[in-house]
Amino acid sequence: MEIKLPRYFKYVIILLGLFLAIWVLQSFKSILMPLVFALLFALLLLPLTRDLEKLRFPRALAILTCIVLVVIVLGLVIWFLSLQVMSLTSELDTIGKNFDALLMKVQEYLYHNFGIQPANKSELFRNLVGGLQELSTTFVGSTISLTTGALTMITIVPIFVFCFLYYRDHLEQFMFKFVSKERRSSLNHTIDNIQVVAQSYISGLMIVIVIVALLNSAGLLLLGVKYAIFFGVFASILTIIPYIGILIGAMLPALFTLATTGHLVDAVLVVLVFMFVQFLEGNFITPYVIGSKVSINPFAAIVALLIGGEIWGAAGMIISIPMIAILKVLFDAYEPLRPFGFLLADIDEVKDKKSGRFRRMFDKLRERARKERYEDDREAEQ
């Protein structure tokens, strides 16, 4: 006998469920965050792992090979950035002197044009030193915490990735236990769509980072900015945090240029370079590299970004977009939740993707190739 509940009671249950989910995410952050990152990396490495297994690699060896390749690439990037940071610290004295001279010019301008008296240098220096001491204390504490978290992620995430990939068949059978046989094809389709979304986003994001790094570095080199490659690569890596990362990436080289040259025009030119690259990335590079698989409207992306940052900090901001894209796939697969999938969808997707015949044809070919590869993998596993 079916029990009908009042509508308001259902809404109360949903709100309580959301609060409970947020509490669980915050309380078990140290466990859930590595699991989520490992799941995304496992989905990214799944095609390469299957290709190695087709070449008669044992599953364990194929997974270890993929993980080692990722570790080598990340290690090279960290090594390059570390060398650049060490070289950059040697210029701190020059930057401090240039800032002092720039501050004097600003004070003189304010005094001659607006009659504002220059501040007492000794008092200003004491305030500055006090602020730097407080900032350094906070920075050291944050660095220790971040380093501890990074070491934990470096050790635990590869283990989780290995387990996800090695036991993927077992995990799939586990999910089948929750649905009837006639609905397993629908579940297979949903899982396949989640894999496509995650793989399209992460692999496409890596390609976008490389392209943006080249464009940023080229623009800064043309302007004659020192450490142009470092600032270009650093800013491109920050694009993994949507909308906010590019702002941080543009501020650092602009301030550095202002400190080294003392000319506001040079700093403005640096900002213009990053604005132009951001325009290219948002309107041409990302839509055609990542494609229409991760079609989330900007409003939903910003809300997800804020929620992810509030729950898990910077890590939550990084994984907010792929996670909300996966949620959209789940919403679209379940009839009662399809209105939420419609709410998250991009306007271009709602308008049946009126973005050009070539792009629609490319998406169809990619979808056909994906289905053929999926069927081949199924046959190989059976």
Side-chain angles (χ1 to χ4, degrees):
M1 181 177 179
E2 185 179 358
I3 301 176
K4 294 184 178 180
L5 298 175
R7 186 175 297 240
Y8 69 87
F9 185 77
K10 294 180 180 179
Y11 292 151
V12 171
I13 295 297
I14 292 174
L15 289 177
L16 290 176
L18 289 175
F19 282 117
L20 180 61
I22 293 174
W23 178 82
V24 170
L25 291 175
Q26 290 179 332
S27 300
F28 298 93
K29 172 183 176 181
S30 59
I31 300 175
L32 295 177
M33 188 167 62
L35 278 173
V36 173
F37 273 102
L39 178 61
L40 294 177
F41 275 111
L43 291 175
L44 174 65
L45 297 177
L46 181 59
L48 181 58
T49 303
R50 285 174 171 170
D51 291 339
L52 291 178
E53 290 177 7
K54 289 180 180 179
L55 297 176
R56 304 298 182 180
F57 274 67
R59 175 168 292 188
L61 181 59
I63 297 171
L64 288 175
T65 303
C66 296
I67 294 176
V68 169
L69 289 176
V70 172
V71 171
I72 291 175
V73 172
L74 292 179
L76 290 175
V77 173
I78 295 173
W79 173 75
F80 169 75
L81 294 177
S82 300
L83 289 180
Q84 293 294 309
V85 169
M86 292 175 61
S87 178
L88 183 61
T89 54
S90 63
E91 307 240 352
L92 291 179
D93 292 336
T94 304
I95 294 173
K97 293 178 182 178
N98 291 337
F99 262 122
D100 189 21
L102 183 63
L103 181 61
M104 290 291 297
K105 291 181 180 179
V106 172
Q107 288 181 341
E108 290 177 1
Y109 176 81
L110 294 176
Y111 177 72
H112 290 298
N113 292 275
F114 301 99
I116 300 176
Q117 292 290 337
N120 190 347
K121 288 186 178 181
S122 59
E123 182 180 355
L124 183 63
F125 182 75
R126 285 196 301 269
N127 293 333
L128 181 61
V129 170
L132 288 176
Q133 288 178 348
E134 182 180 355
L135 180 63
S136 62
T137 303
T138 306
F139 179 74
V140 169
S142 301
T143 302
I144 294 174
S145 177
L146 183 62
T147 303
T148 305
L151 291 175
T152 303
M153 294 285 286
I154 290 173
T155 54
I156 293 181
V157 169
I159 297 174
F160 286 163
V161 171
F162 182 89
C163 293
F164 277 132
L165 291 175
Y166 191 81
Y167 297 106
R168 61 180 185 266
D169 298 332
H170 186 70
L171 293 174
E172 185 175 334
Q173 293 299 322
F174 166 74
M175 287 185 288
F176 285 161
K177 299 293 183 181
F178 291 94
V179 297
S180 58
K181 292 184 179 180
E182 58 271 11
R183 296 185 61 185
R184 289 183 179 179
S185 60
S186 177
L187 178 61
N188 260 332
H189 182 69
T190 302
I191 295 174
D192 194 26
N193 287 338
I194 291 175
Q195 292 178 2
V196 170
V197 167
Q199 292 167 5
S200 299
Y201 179 79
I202 301 174
S203 60
L205 181 61
M206 292 180 178
I207 297 174
V208 169
I209 287 175
V210 173
I211 297 175
V212 171
L214 294 175
L215 294 175
N216 289 338
S217 302
L220 295 178
L221 286 172
L222 290 176
L223 295 178
V225 177
K226 298 181 67 175
Y227 305 103
I229 297 178
F230 165 72
F231 285 123
V233 173
F234 182 72
S236 67
I237 294 175
L238 289 178
T239 56
I240 61 178
I241 304 177
Y243 307 108
I244 297 177
I246 191 64
L247 297 177
I248 302 174
M251 284 174 56
L252 293 178
L255 293 174
F256 177 79
T257 304
L258 181 62
T260 53
T261 64
H263 297 96
L264 183 61
V265 176
D266 295 334
V268 172
L269 290 176
V270 170
V271 174
L272 290 177
V273 166
F274 279 94
M275 289 178 62
F276 179 68
V277 174
Q278 173 66 15
F279 171 78
L280 294 178
E281 183 267 331
N283 293 278
F284 300 99
I285 300 174
T286 297
Y288 285 94
V289 171
I290 297 180
S292 60
K293 298 300 179 184
V294 187
S295 52
I296 303 297
N297 66 72
F299 176 71
I302 293 174
V303 173
L305 190 68
L306 295 176
I307 295 176
E310 185 66 25
I311 296 176
W312 283 355
M317 298 173 73
I318 293 172
I319 64 176
S320 59
I321 303 301
M323 293 308 298
I324 196 174
I326 292 175
L327 282 178
K328 181 183 178 299
V329 173
L330 296 176
F331 291 159
D332 291 338
Y334 186 52
E335 181 68 31
L337 296 179
R338 284 183 183 175
F340 294 101
F342 176 83
L343 180 64
L344 297 177
D346 197 2
I347 295 178
D348 293 335
E349 182 186 3
V350 177
K351 293 180 179 178
D352 295 329
K353 301 178 182 178
K354 297 178 181 179
S355 56
R357 182 181 302 174
F358 175 77
R359 182 173 174 180
R360 292 196 298 271
M361 180 180 67
F362 179 76
D363 286 341
K364 289 181 180 179
L365 292 175
R366 184 166 58 179
E367 183 72 17
R368 184 182 303 172
R370 180 187 60 78
K371 289 182 178 179
E372 293 176 355
R373 185 178 61 197
Y374 179 76
E375 292 174 356
D376 294 339
D377 293 336
R378 285 291 178 186
E379 293 176 359
E381 291 176 357
Q382 292 176 355

